[in-house]
Amino acid sequence: MMREPVAGGSERFLTAGPGGQNARREQGLFFSVLGPCAAEGERGPVDLGPPQRRALLLCLLLENTRPVSVSRLTQLLWADRPPSSAASSIHAHISRLRSAITGASPSSAHSLLLRSSFGYTLRLAPQQQDTTVFELTIEQAHDLAERGHGTAARLAVERALALWRGQPFAELQGHPVTRSESLRLEEFRRTAHDLRARLLLAEGRPVQAVLAAEQLVAEAPLRETAWVTLIRALCADERWTEALGRYEMIRNLLAEMVGTSPGPELQEVRRTLLRHV
């Protein structure tokens, strides 16, 4: 479980609110990449400029406090055909980005966007980027669930999921630079939806759990854990025939698409079903 140290040696969880603009402004700049790139400062939204500048910023955010060389930024913006002015263009973009950040958050901008012999670095605290807040809040939810605080865990999951506004790194969607991280984040998001559905079921809310699990299996049809939750939720709602139909659906999908049989959890669910139909 990851926590953030605070004064006095204690710890606190990082949390995310669905519309916490005031909290974000109090902590300085907040960068969002779970959807179109955006930034919020003490004085409101930051004008991030044209597409090339946004792409440059996304690369800095992706590296998450590690320096990015000018050559790598050149490759990102112009691939194998950079203009002779590439380096000066990058420096100009950085300068304008730094000015935009300074205008939106003068108290913290001076220490965020740095230049060294290794390149440019955007140095952020964990609570200043939505991807980090998302992951830490989901870890908080797992911790709460393990300690028996189901409703608090579900609320944490929902706070984290509220940070998503579309495809991660939307301006560079499908670009080799962001592809692997985008896939990792999407899988993390599905895990969060899976956890939410299970928590709804544990709270005794089978109808909502069915809806949540149905959405997930529609998006990830071979995700067995989501099918298990869906079938269990249908059983909890005494919809036995529907549950059996869903079991047959995933059994056929697994056989046709990957040539496997249902795993142990699905088989256990089937045994439960057969006792009621």
Side-chain angles (χ1 to χ4, degrees):
M1 177 62 199
M2 297 176 68
R3 296 178 175 85
E4 180 191 16
V6 294
S10 61
E11 294 176 323
R12 66 177 174 86
F13 288 114
L14 288 170
T15 58
Q21 291 185 354
N22 290 336
R24 291 174 186 177
R25 289 174 186 174
E26 287 172 5
Q27 67 193 17
L29 283 161
F30 186 84
F31 291 88
S32 304
V33 300
L34 297 174
C37 186
E40 181 87 11
E42 298 161 9
R43 296 178 177 175
V46 181
D47 181 2
L48 299 177
Q52 280 194 331
R53 196 173 306 154
R54 288 171 173 268
L56 183 152
L57 174 60
L58 283 172
C59 192
L60 295 174
L61 289 166
L62 181 66
E63 288 303 317
N64 194 18
T65 76
R66 294 182 294 268
V68 183
S69 67
V70 172
S71 62
R72 184 176 177 192
L73 294 172
T74 301
Q75 175 68 22
L76 171 71
L77 297 185
W78 293 284
D80 297 324
R81 302 184 65 181
S84 58
S85 60
S88 60
S89 293
I90 288 171
H91 298 325
H93 278 307
I94 292 289
S95 177
R96 289 177 183 132
L97 184 59
R98 187 181 284 114
S99 295
I101 289 172
T102 302
S105 189
S107 67
S108 58
H110 67 282
S111 61
L112 291 182
L113 188 49
L114 308 175
R115 182 180 181 182
S116 70
S117 58
F118 299 102
Y120 290 102
T121 305
L122 189 60
R123 186 171 295 169
L124 302 178
Q127 69 271 21
Q128 288 182 282
Q129 187 168 341
D130 61 351
T131 53
T132 309
V133 173
F134 170 72
E135 294 191 47
L136 290 171
T137 307
I138 295 302
E139 290 185 14
Q140 173 192 359
H142 280 289
D143 184 83
L144 288 167
E146 288 171 6
R147 293 190 283 118
H149 304 299
T151 299
R154 176 180 56 79
L155 292 172
V157 173
E158 291 172 354
R159 286 197 302 273
L161 289 171
L163 290 167
W164 284 73
R165 300 168 296 109
Q167 294 291 326
F169 305 101
E171 289 88 346
L172 292 177
Q173 187 176 351
H175 195 286
V177 168
T178 59
R179 186 177 298 135
S180 62
E181 179 65 0
S182 294
L183 291 172
R184 187 188 70 83
L185 288 167
E186 288 283 5
E187 177 56 26
F188 211 132
R189 181 184 62 82
R190 293 189 187 100
T191 300
H193 277 292
D194 204 353
L195 175 61
R196 178 176 179 270
R198 287 187 279 115
L199 290 167
L200 284 167
L201 180 57
E203 284 185 69
R205 301 168 66 183
V207 174
Q208 293 93 329
V210 167
L211 292 173
E214 287 275 25
Q215 291 174 356
L216 187 53
V217 299
E219 181 180 335
L222 295 179
R223 194 182 190 91
E224 289 193 48
T225 55
W227 285 95
V228 168
T229 303
L230 172 59
I231 295 168
R232 285 178 174 163
L234 288 166
C235 291
D237 204 32
E238 298 186 355
R239 294 154 65 178
W240 308 106
T241 302
E242 283 185 66
L244 186 59
R246 294 297 196 280
Y247 175 83
E248 292 300 322
M249 190 180 298
I250 181 56
R251 183 181 67 81
N252 291 333
L253 277 172
L254 290 170
E256 293 171 8
M257 297 182 70
V258 292
T260 61
S261 300
E265 280 193 284
L266 276 171
Q267 292 179 27
E268 177 60 32
V269 164
R270 178 177 179 273
R271 286 191 288 270
T272 301
L273 273 170
L274 292 179
R275 290 196 291 268
H276 292 87
V277 295

PDB file of all heavy atoms in Angstrom, residues 150 154 194-210 212-213 225-238 269:
ATOM      1  N   GLY A 150     -16.096  -1.733   3.314  1.00  0.00           N
ATOM      2  CA  GLY A 150     -16.555  -1.869   1.935  1.00  0.00           C
ATOM      3  C   GLY A 150     -17.095  -0.604   1.321  1.00  0.00           C
ATOM      4  O   GLY A 150     -16.757  -0.253   0.184  1.00  0.00           O
ATOM      5  N   ARG A 154     -15.610   1.472  -1.851  1.00  0.00           N
ATOM      6  CA  ARG A 154     -16.338   1.765  -3.090  1.00  0.00           C
ATOM      7  C   ARG A 154     -16.298   3.255  -3.410  1.00  0.00           C
ATOM      8  O   ARG A 154     -16.103   3.652  -4.571  1.00  0.00           O
ATOM      9  CB  ARG A 154     -17.790   1.291  -2.983  1.00  0.00           C
ATOM     10  CG  ARG A 154     -18.621   1.676  -4.218  1.00  0.00           C
ATOM     11  CD  ARG A 154     -20.050   1.218  -4.106  1.00  0.00           C
ATOM     12  NE  ARG A 154     -20.709   1.715  -2.920  1.00  0.00           N
ATOM     13  CZ  ARG A 154     -21.199   2.952  -2.786  1.00  0.00           C
ATOM     14  NH1 ARG A 154     -21.058   3.844  -3.756  1.00  0.00           N
ATOM     15  NH2 ARG A 154     -21.812   3.320  -1.671  1.00  0.00           N
ATOM     16  N   ASP A 194     -13.964  -3.532 -11.949  1.00  0.00           N
ATOM     17  CA  ASP A 194     -14.204  -4.868 -11.414  1.00  0.00           C
ATOM     18  C   ASP A 194     -14.368  -4.810  -9.894  1.00  0.00           C
ATOM     19  O   ASP A 194     -15.288  -5.398  -9.316  1.00  0.00           O
ATOM     20  CB  ASP A 194     -13.024  -5.770 -11.801  1.00  0.00           C
ATOM     21  CG  ASP A 194     -13.392  -7.239 -11.838  1.00  0.00           C
ATOM     22  OD1 ASP A 194     -14.518  -7.586 -11.440  1.00  0.00           O
ATOM     23  OD2 ASP A 194     -12.547  -8.036 -12.268  1.00  0.00           O
ATOM     24  N   LEU A 195     -13.462  -4.094  -9.235  1.00  0.00           N
ATOM     25  CA  LEU A 195     -13.534  -3.947  -7.785  1.00  0.00           C
ATOM     26  C   LEU A 195     -14.826  -3.253  -7.370  1.00  0.00           C
ATOM     27  O   LEU A 195     -15.488  -3.665  -6.406  1.00  0.00           O
ATOM     28  CB  LEU A 195     -12.323  -3.153  -7.282  1.00  0.00           C
ATOM     29  CG  LEU A 195     -12.301  -2.815  -5.790  1.00  0.00           C
ATOM     30  CD1 LEU A 195     -12.299  -4.073  -4.937  1.00  0.00           C
ATOM     31  CD2 LEU A 195     -11.076  -1.948  -5.470  1.00  0.00           C
ATOM     32  N   ARG A 196     -15.212  -2.226  -8.090  1.00  0.00           N
ATOM     33  CA  ARG A 196     -16.456  -1.508  -7.753  1.00  0.00           C
ATOM     34  C   ARG A 196     -17.658  -2.437  -7.832  1.00  0.00           C
ATOM     35  O   ARG A 196     -18.534  -2.424  -6.941  1.00  0.00           O
ATOM     36  CB  ARG A 196     -16.649  -0.323  -8.685  1.00  0.00           C
ATOM     37  CG  ARG A 196     -17.944   0.437  -8.441  1.00  0.00           C
ATOM     38  CD  ARG A 196     -18.072   1.669  -9.321  1.00  0.00           C
ATOM     39  NE  ARG A 196     -19.330   2.354  -9.073  1.00  0.00           N
ATOM     40  CZ  ARG A 196     -20.463   2.087  -9.733  1.00  0.00           C
ATOM     41  NH1 ARG A 196     -20.475   1.174 -10.706  1.00  0.00           N
ATOM     42  NH2 ARG A 196     -21.579   2.744  -9.445  1.00  0.00           N
ATOM     43  N   ALA A 197     -17.732  -3.257  -8.877  1.00  0.00           N
ATOM     44  CA  ALA A 197     -18.862  -4.180  -9.017  1.00  0.00           C
ATOM     45  C   ALA A 197     -18.910  -5.164  -7.851  1.00  0.00           C
ATOM     46  O   ALA A 197     -19.977  -5.448  -7.294  1.00  0.00           O
ATOM     47  CB  ALA A 197     -18.760  -4.928 -10.342  1.00  0.00           C
ATOM     48  N   ARG A 198     -17.739  -5.675  -7.446  1.00  0.00           N
ATOM     49  CA  ARG A 198     -17.695  -6.624  -6.327  1.00  0.00           C
ATOM     50  C   ARG A 198     -18.089  -5.954  -5.012  1.00  0.00           C
ATOM     51  O   ARG A 198     -18.746  -6.556  -4.162  1.00  0.00           O
ATOM     52  CB  ARG A 198     -16.307  -7.246  -6.225  1.00  0.00           C
ATOM     53  CG  ARG A 198     -16.033  -8.258  -7.330  1.00  0.00           C
ATOM     54  CD  ARG A 198     -14.730  -8.999  -7.149  1.00  0.00           C
ATOM     55  NE  ARG A 198     -13.597  -8.227  -7.608  1.00  0.00           N
ATOM     56  CZ  ARG A 198     -12.628  -7.776  -6.836  1.00  0.00           C
ATOM     57  NH1 ARG A 198     -12.659  -7.983  -5.518  1.00  0.00           N
ATOM     58  NH2 ARG A 198     -11.618  -7.094  -7.337  1.00  0.00           N
ATOM     59  N   LEU A 199     -17.689  -4.697  -4.842  1.00  0.00           N
ATOM     60  CA  LEU A 199     -18.035  -3.981  -3.623  1.00  0.00           C
ATOM     61  C   LEU A 199     -19.529  -3.680  -3.566  1.00  0.00           C
ATOM     62  O   LEU A 199     -20.148  -3.745  -2.492  1.00  0.00           O
ATOM     63  CB  LEU A 199     -17.218  -2.690  -3.524  1.00  0.00           C
ATOM     64  CG  LEU A 199     -15.721  -2.891  -3.253  1.00  0.00           C
ATOM     65  CD1 LEU A 199     -14.959  -1.596  -3.482  1.00  0.00           C
ATOM     66  CD2 LEU A 199     -15.480  -3.406  -1.831  1.00  0.00           C
ATOM     67  N   LEU A 200     -20.119  -3.349  -4.698  1.00  0.00           N
ATOM     68  CA  LEU A 200     -21.567  -3.144  -4.740  1.00  0.00           C
ATOM     69  C   LEU A 200     -22.299  -4.422  -4.342  1.00  0.00           C
ATOM     70  O   LEU A 200     -23.284  -4.379  -3.586  1.00  0.00           O
ATOM     71  CB  LEU A 200     -21.990  -2.708  -6.144  1.00  0.00           C
ATOM     72  CG  LEU A 200     -21.699  -1.256  -6.526  1.00  0.00           C
ATOM     73  CD1 LEU A 200     -21.867  -1.052  -8.028  1.00  0.00           C
ATOM     74  CD2 LEU A 200     -22.620  -0.300  -5.760  1.00  0.00           C
ATOM     75  N   LEU A 201     -21.823  -5.542  -4.839  1.00  0.00           N
ATOM     76  CA  LEU A 201     -22.439  -6.820  -4.490  1.00  0.00           C
ATOM     77  C   LEU A 201     -22.290  -7.103  -3.007  1.00  0.00           C
ATOM     78  O   LEU A 201     -23.246  -7.526  -2.337  1.00  0.00           O
ATOM     79  CB  LEU A 201     -21.807  -7.943  -5.320  1.00  0.00           C
ATOM     80  CG  LEU A 201     -22.346  -9.356  -5.078  1.00  0.00           C
ATOM     81  CD1 LEU A 201     -23.848  -9.413  -5.302  1.00  0.00           C
ATOM     82  CD2 LEU A 201     -21.618 -10.354  -5.978  1.00  0.00           C
ATOM     83  N   ALA A 202     -21.108  -6.842  -2.458  1.00  0.00           N
ATOM     84  CA  ALA A 202     -20.869  -7.079  -1.028  1.00  0.00           C
ATOM     85  C   ALA A 202     -21.730  -6.165  -0.160  1.00  0.00           C
ATOM     86  O   ALA A 202     -22.074  -6.533   0.976  1.00  0.00           O
ATOM     87  CB  ALA A 202     -19.396  -6.860  -0.710  1.00  0.00           C
ATOM     88  N   GLU A 203     -22.099  -4.996  -0.685  1.00  0.00           N
ATOM     89  CA  GLU A 203     -22.971  -4.073   0.052  1.00  0.00           C
ATOM     90  C   GLU A 203     -24.431  -4.502   0.006  1.00  0.00           C
ATOM     91  O   GLU A 203     -25.291  -3.856   0.614  1.00  0.00           O
ATOM     92  CB  GLU A 203     -22.860  -2.657  -0.522  1.00  0.00           C
ATOM     93  CG  GLU A 203     -21.609  -1.899  -0.137  1.00  0.00           C
ATOM     94  CD  GLU A 203     -21.659  -0.466  -0.658  1.00  0.00           C
ATOM     95  OE1 GLU A 203     -22.478   0.336  -0.159  1.00  0.00           O
ATOM     96  OE2 GLU A 203     -20.890  -0.151  -1.579  1.00  0.00           O
ATOM     97  N   GLY A 204     -24.734  -5.569  -0.728  1.00  0.00           N
ATOM     98  CA  GLY A 204     -26.127  -5.984  -0.862  1.00  0.00           C
ATOM     99  C   GLY A 204     -26.887  -5.184  -1.896  1.00  0.00           C
ATOM    100  O   GLY A 204     -28.101  -4.954  -1.749  1.00  0.00           O
ATOM    101  N   ARG A 205     -26.200  -4.745  -2.957  1.00  0.00           N
ATOM    102  CA  ARG A 205     -26.826  -3.962  -4.026  1.00  0.00           C
ATOM    103  C   ARG A 205     -26.660  -4.706  -5.348  1.00  0.00           C
ATOM    104  O   ARG A 205     -25.926  -4.283  -6.248  1.00  0.00           O
ATOM    105  CB  ARG A 205     -26.193  -2.571  -4.082  1.00  0.00           C
ATOM    106  CG  ARG A 205     -26.342  -1.793  -2.765  1.00  0.00           C
ATOM    107  CD  ARG A 205     -25.484  -0.546  -2.730  1.00  0.00           C
ATOM    108  NE  ARG A 205     -25.897   0.439  -3.701  1.00  0.00           N
ATOM    109  CZ  ARG A 205     -25.264   1.593  -3.912  1.00  0.00           C
ATOM    110  NH1 ARG A 205     -24.181   1.879  -3.197  1.00  0.00           N
ATOM    111  NH2 ARG A 205     -25.686   2.446  -4.805  1.00  0.00           N
ATOM    112  N   PRO A 206     -27.334  -5.863  -5.489  1.00  0.00           N
ATOM    113  CA  PRO A 206     -27.100  -6.707  -6.668  1.00  0.00           C
ATOM    114  C   PRO A 206     -27.498  -6.070  -7.990  1.00  0.00           C
ATOM    115  O   PRO A 206     -26.861  -6.330  -9.018  1.00  0.00           O
ATOM    116  CB  PRO A 206     -27.937  -7.959  -6.380  1.00  0.00           C
ATOM    117  CG  PRO A 206     -28.976  -7.518  -5.406  1.00  0.00           C
ATOM    118  CD  PRO A 206     -28.306  -6.477  -4.569  1.00  0.00           C
ATOM    119  N   VAL A 207     -28.555  -5.259  -7.987  1.00  0.00           N
ATOM    120  CA  VAL A 207     -28.986  -4.644  -9.250  1.00  0.00           C
ATOM    121  C   VAL A 207     -27.895  -3.724  -9.789  1.00  0.00           C
ATOM    122  O   VAL A 207     -27.537  -3.768 -10.980  1.00  0.00           O
ATOM    123  CB  VAL A 207     -30.308  -3.877  -9.057  1.00  0.00           C
ATOM    124  CG1 VAL A 207     -30.677  -3.125 -10.335  1.00  0.00           C
ATOM    125  CG2 VAL A 207     -31.430  -4.838  -8.670  1.00  0.00           C
ATOM    126  N   GLN A 208     -27.333  -2.874  -8.920  1.00  0.00           N
ATOM    127  CA  GLN A 208     -26.246  -1.983  -9.344  1.00  0.00           C
ATOM    128  C   GLN A 208     -25.000  -2.779  -9.711  1.00  0.00           C
ATOM    129  O   GLN A 208     -24.278  -2.418 -10.642  1.00  0.00           O
ATOM    130  CB  GLN A 208     -25.922  -0.984  -8.234  1.00  0.00           C
ATOM    131  CG  GLN A 208     -27.027   0.017  -7.957  1.00  0.00           C
ATOM    132  CD  GLN A 208     -27.967  -0.446  -6.855  1.00  0.00           C
ATOM    133  OE1 GLN A 208     -28.192  -1.648  -6.672  1.00  0.00           O
ATOM    134  NE2 GLN A 208     -28.502   0.500  -6.110  1.00  0.00           N
ATOM    135  N   ALA A 209     -24.755  -3.877  -8.986  1.00  0.00           N
ATOM    136  CA  ALA A 209     -23.602  -4.721  -9.300  1.00  0.00           C
ATOM    137  C   ALA A 209     -23.757  -5.366 -10.671  1.00  0.00           C
ATOM    138  O   ALA A 209     -22.786  -5.472 -11.431  1.00  0.00           O
ATOM    139  CB  ALA A 209     -23.429  -5.795  -8.229  1.00  0.00           C
ATOM    140  N   VAL A 210     -24.976  -5.787 -10.999  1.00  0.00           N
ATOM    141  CA  VAL A 210     -25.228  -6.360 -12.330  1.00  0.00           C
ATOM    142  C   VAL A 210     -24.923  -5.330 -13.409  1.00  0.00           C
ATOM    143  O   VAL A 210     -24.237  -5.624 -14.404  1.00  0.00           O
ATOM    144  CB  VAL A 210     -26.688  -6.854 -12.446  1.00  0.00           C
ATOM    145  CG1 VAL A 210     -27.039  -7.147 -13.905  1.00  0.00           C
ATOM    146  CG2 VAL A 210     -26.891  -8.105 -11.608  1.00  0.00           C
ATOM    147  N   ALA A 212     -22.973  -2.695 -13.291  1.00  0.00           N
ATOM    148  CA  ALA A 212     -21.535  -2.412 -13.361  1.00  0.00           C
ATOM    149  C   ALA A 212     -20.791  -3.551 -14.043  1.00  0.00           C
ATOM    150  O   ALA A 212     -19.902  -3.319 -14.880  1.00  0.00           O
ATOM    151  CB  ALA A 212     -20.983  -2.182 -11.957  1.00  0.00           C
ATOM    152  N   ALA A 213     -21.135  -4.786 -13.692  1.00  0.00           N
ATOM    153  CA  ALA A 213     -20.447  -5.938 -14.288  1.00  0.00           C
ATOM    154  C   ALA A 213     -20.808  -6.097 -15.759  1.00  0.00           C
ATOM    155  O   ALA A 213     -19.958  -6.481 -16.575  1.00  0.00           O
ATOM    156  CB  ALA A 213     -20.788  -7.197 -13.509  1.00  0.00           C
ATOM    157  N   THR A 225     -13.108 -12.625 -14.186  1.00  0.00           N
ATOM    158  CA  THR A 225     -13.511 -12.104 -12.870  1.00  0.00           C
ATOM    159  C   THR A 225     -14.777 -11.265 -12.977  1.00  0.00           C
ATOM    160  O   THR A 225     -15.623 -11.288 -12.064  1.00  0.00           O
ATOM    161  CB  THR A 225     -12.386 -11.269 -12.243  1.00  0.00           C
ATOM    162  OG1 THR A 225     -11.991 -10.230 -13.159  1.00  0.00           O
ATOM    163  CG2 THR A 225     -11.186 -12.139 -11.904  1.00  0.00           C
ATOM    164  N   ALA A 226     -14.921 -10.530 -14.079  1.00  0.00           N
ATOM    165  CA  ALA A 226     -16.119  -9.718 -14.257  1.00  0.00           C
ATOM    166  C   ALA A 226     -17.344 -10.610 -14.470  1.00  0.00           C
ATOM    167  O   ALA A 226     -18.436 -10.318 -13.968  1.00  0.00           O
ATOM    168  CB  ALA A 226     -15.936  -8.766 -15.432  1.00  0.00           C
ATOM    169  N   TRP A 227     -17.176 -11.689 -15.193  1.00  0.00           N
ATOM    170  CA  TRP A 227     -18.285 -12.628 -15.399  1.00  0.00           C
ATOM    171  C   TRP A 227     -18.685 -13.284 -14.080  1.00  0.00           C
ATOM    172  O   TRP A 227     -19.872 -13.502 -13.808  1.00  0.00           O
ATOM    173  CB  TRP A 227     -17.902 -13.687 -16.420  1.00  0.00           C
ATOM    174  CG  TRP A 227     -17.908 -13.194 -17.840  1.00  0.00           C
ATOM    175  CD1 TRP A 227     -16.846 -12.721 -18.552  1.00  0.00           C
ATOM    176  CD2 TRP A 227     -19.036 -13.105 -18.711  1.00  0.00           C
ATOM    177  NE1 TRP A 227     -17.234 -12.350 -19.810  1.00  0.00           N
ATOM    178  CE2 TRP A 227     -18.579 -12.581 -19.940  1.00  0.00           C
ATOM    179  CE3 TRP A 227     -20.386 -13.429 -18.568  1.00  0.00           C
ATOM    180  CZ2 TRP A 227     -19.424 -12.366 -21.015  1.00  0.00           C
ATOM    181  CZ3 TRP A 227     -21.237 -13.222 -19.655  1.00  0.00           C
ATOM    182  CH2 TRP A 227     -20.757 -12.691 -20.862  1.00  0.00           C
ATOM    183  N   VAL A 228     -17.698 -13.619 -13.260  1.00  0.00           N
ATOM    184  CA  VAL A 228     -17.993 -14.210 -11.953  1.00  0.00           C
ATOM    185  C   VAL A 228     -18.848 -13.249 -11.130  1.00  0.00           C
ATOM    186  O   VAL A 228     -19.867 -13.640 -10.540  1.00  0.00           O
ATOM    187  CB  VAL A 228     -16.689 -14.566 -11.196  1.00  0.00           C
ATOM    188  CG1 VAL A 228     -16.988 -14.902  -9.736  1.00  0.00           C
ATOM    189  CG2 VAL A 228     -15.982 -15.733 -11.873  1.00  0.00           C
ATOM    190  N   THR A 229     -18.445 -11.986 -11.088  1.00  0.00           N
ATOM    191  CA  THR A 229     -19.219 -10.992 -10.333  1.00  0.00           C
ATOM    192  C   THR A 229     -20.612 -10.828 -10.914  1.00  0.00           C
ATOM    193  O   THR A 229     -21.607 -10.743 -10.171  1.00  0.00           O
ATOM    194  CB  THR A 229     -18.488  -9.636 -10.333  1.00  0.00           C
ATOM    195  OG1 THR A 229     -17.183  -9.805  -9.791  1.00  0.00           O
ATOM    196  CG2 THR A 229     -19.246  -8.605  -9.517  1.00  0.00           C
ATOM    197  N   LEU A 230     -20.709 -10.787 -12.236  1.00  0.00           N
ATOM    198  CA  LEU A 230     -22.012 -10.639 -12.889  1.00  0.00           C
ATOM    199  C   LEU A 230     -22.937 -11.798 -12.526  1.00  0.00           C
ATOM    200  O   LEU A 230     -24.099 -11.590 -12.144  1.00  0.00           O
ATOM    201  CB  LEU A 230     -21.821 -10.560 -14.407  1.00  0.00           C
ATOM    202  CG  LEU A 230     -23.096 -10.603 -15.253  1.00  0.00           C
ATOM    203  CD1 LEU A 230     -24.030  -9.463 -14.884  1.00  0.00           C
ATOM    204  CD2 LEU A 230     -22.740 -10.562 -16.746  1.00  0.00           C
ATOM    205  N   ILE A 231     -22.437 -13.012 -12.633  1.00  0.00           N
ATOM    206  CA  ILE A 231     -23.278 -14.183 -12.350  1.00  0.00           C
ATOM    207  C   ILE A 231     -23.654 -14.234 -10.878  1.00  0.00           C
ATOM    208  O   ILE A 231     -24.806 -14.534 -10.527  1.00  0.00           O
ATOM    209  CB  ILE A 231     -22.545 -15.465 -12.798  1.00  0.00           C
ATOM    210  CG1 ILE A 231     -22.376 -15.454 -14.333  1.00  0.00           C
ATOM    211  CG2 ILE A 231     -23.307 -16.712 -12.367  1.00  0.00           C
ATOM    212  CD1 ILE A 231     -21.421 -16.512 -14.852  1.00  0.00           C
ATOM    213  N   ARG A 232     -22.712 -13.914  -9.998  1.00  0.00           N
ATOM    214  CA  ARG A 232     -23.036 -13.903  -8.569  1.00  0.00           C
ATOM    215  C   ARG A 232     -24.078 -12.831  -8.243  1.00  0.00           C
ATOM    216  O   ARG A 232     -24.953 -13.040  -7.396  1.00  0.00           O
ATOM    217  CB  ARG A 232     -21.767 -13.675  -7.756  1.00  0.00           C
ATOM    218  CG  ARG A 232     -20.871 -14.905  -7.680  1.00  0.00           C
ATOM    219  CD  ARG A 232     -19.603 -14.620  -6.912  1.00  0.00           C
ATOM    220  NE  ARG A 232     -18.811 -15.843  -6.732  1.00  0.00           N
ATOM    221  CZ  ARG A 232     -17.529 -15.875  -6.398  1.00  0.00           C
ATOM    222  NH1 ARG A 232     -16.881 -14.728  -6.191  1.00  0.00           N
ATOM    223  NH2 ARG A 232     -16.903 -17.015  -6.260  1.00  0.00           N
ATOM    224  N   ALA A 233     -23.976 -11.679  -8.909  1.00  0.00           N
ATOM    225  CA  ALA A 233     -24.952 -10.619  -8.672  1.00  0.00           C
ATOM    226  C   ALA A 233     -26.335 -11.038  -9.161  1.00  0.00           C
ATOM    227  O   ALA A 233     -27.348 -10.769  -8.494  1.00  0.00           O
ATOM    228  CB  ALA A 233     -24.503  -9.338  -9.361  1.00  0.00           C
ATOM    229  N   LEU A 234     -26.395 -11.702 -10.296  1.00  0.00           N
ATOM    230  CA  LEU A 234     -27.676 -12.211 -10.793  1.00  0.00           C
ATOM    231  C   LEU A 234     -28.254 -13.247  -9.827  1.00  0.00           C
ATOM    232  O   LEU A 234     -29.470 -13.266  -9.571  1.00  0.00           O
ATOM    233  CB  LEU A 234     -27.494 -12.816 -12.184  1.00  0.00           C
ATOM    234  CG  LEU A 234     -27.260 -11.817 -13.318  1.00  0.00           C
ATOM    235  CD1 LEU A 234     -26.765 -12.531 -14.572  1.00  0.00           C
ATOM    236  CD2 LEU A 234     -28.531 -11.028 -13.616  1.00  0.00           C
ATOM    237  N   CYS A 235     -27.391 -14.085  -9.280  1.00  0.00           N
ATOM    238  CA  CYS A 235     -27.845 -15.068  -8.295  1.00  0.00           C
ATOM    239  C   CYS A 235     -28.377 -14.378  -7.044  1.00  0.00           C
ATOM    240  O   CYS A 235     -29.415 -14.770  -6.489  1.00  0.00           O
ATOM    241  CB  CYS A 235     -26.715 -16.016  -7.924  1.00  0.00           C
ATOM    242  SG  CYS A 235     -26.224 -17.145  -9.249  1.00  0.00           S
ATOM    243  N   ALA A 236     -27.656 -13.342  -6.589  1.00  0.00           N
ATOM    244  CA  ALA A 236     -28.091 -12.619  -5.403  1.00  0.00           C
ATOM    245  C   ALA A 236     -29.447 -11.960  -5.622  1.00  0.00           C
ATOM    246  O   ALA A 236     -30.209 -11.771  -4.663  1.00  0.00           O
ATOM    247  CB  ALA A 236     -27.050 -11.564  -5.026  1.00  0.00           C
ATOM    248  N   ASP A 237     -29.753 -11.625  -6.874  1.00  0.00           N
ATOM    249  CA  ASP A 237     -31.041 -11.037  -7.223  1.00  0.00           C
ATOM    250  C   ASP A 237     -32.061 -12.115  -7.613  1.00  0.00           C
ATOM    251  O   ASP A 237     -33.139 -11.788  -8.117  1.00  0.00           O
ATOM    252  CB  ASP A 237     -30.851 -10.043  -8.378  1.00  0.00           C
ATOM    253  CG  ASP A 237     -31.943  -8.986  -8.431  1.00  0.00           C
ATOM    254  OD1 ASP A 237     -32.467  -8.599  -7.363  1.00  0.00           O
ATOM    255  OD2 ASP A 237     -32.297  -8.549  -9.552  1.00  0.00           O
ATOM    256  N   GLU A 238     -31.666 -13.378  -7.405  1.00  0.00           N
ATOM    257  CA  GLU A 238     -32.507 -14.541  -7.690  1.00  0.00           C
ATOM    258  C   GLU A 238     -32.926 -14.622  -9.152  1.00  0.00           C
ATOM    259  O   GLU A 238     -34.018 -15.087  -9.477  1.00  0.00           O
ATOM    260  CB  GLU A 238     -33.736 -14.551  -6.768  1.00  0.00           C
ATOM    261  CG  GLU A 238     -33.364 -14.655  -5.297  1.00  0.00           C
ATOM    262  CD  GLU A 238     -34.572 -14.813  -4.384  1.00  0.00           C
ATOM    263  OE1 GLU A 238     -35.712 -14.750  -4.890  1.00  0.00           O
ATOM    264  OE2 GLU A 238     -34.359 -15.006  -3.170  1.00  0.00           O
ATOM    265  N   VAL A 269     -19.071 -21.087  -9.482  1.00  0.00           N
ATOM    266  CA  VAL A 269     -20.327 -20.371  -9.689  1.00  0.00           C
ATOM    267  C   VAL A 269     -21.345 -21.279 -10.371  1.00  0.00           C
ATOM    268  O   VAL A 269     -22.532 -21.289 -10.019  1.00  0.00           O
ATOM    269  CB  VAL A 269     -20.079 -19.090 -10.519  1.00  0.00           C
ATOM    270  CG1 VAL A 269     -21.380 -18.539 -11.067  1.00  0.00           C
ATOM    271  CG2 VAL A 269     -19.404 -18.025  -9.674  1.00  0.00           C
TER     272      VAL A 269
END
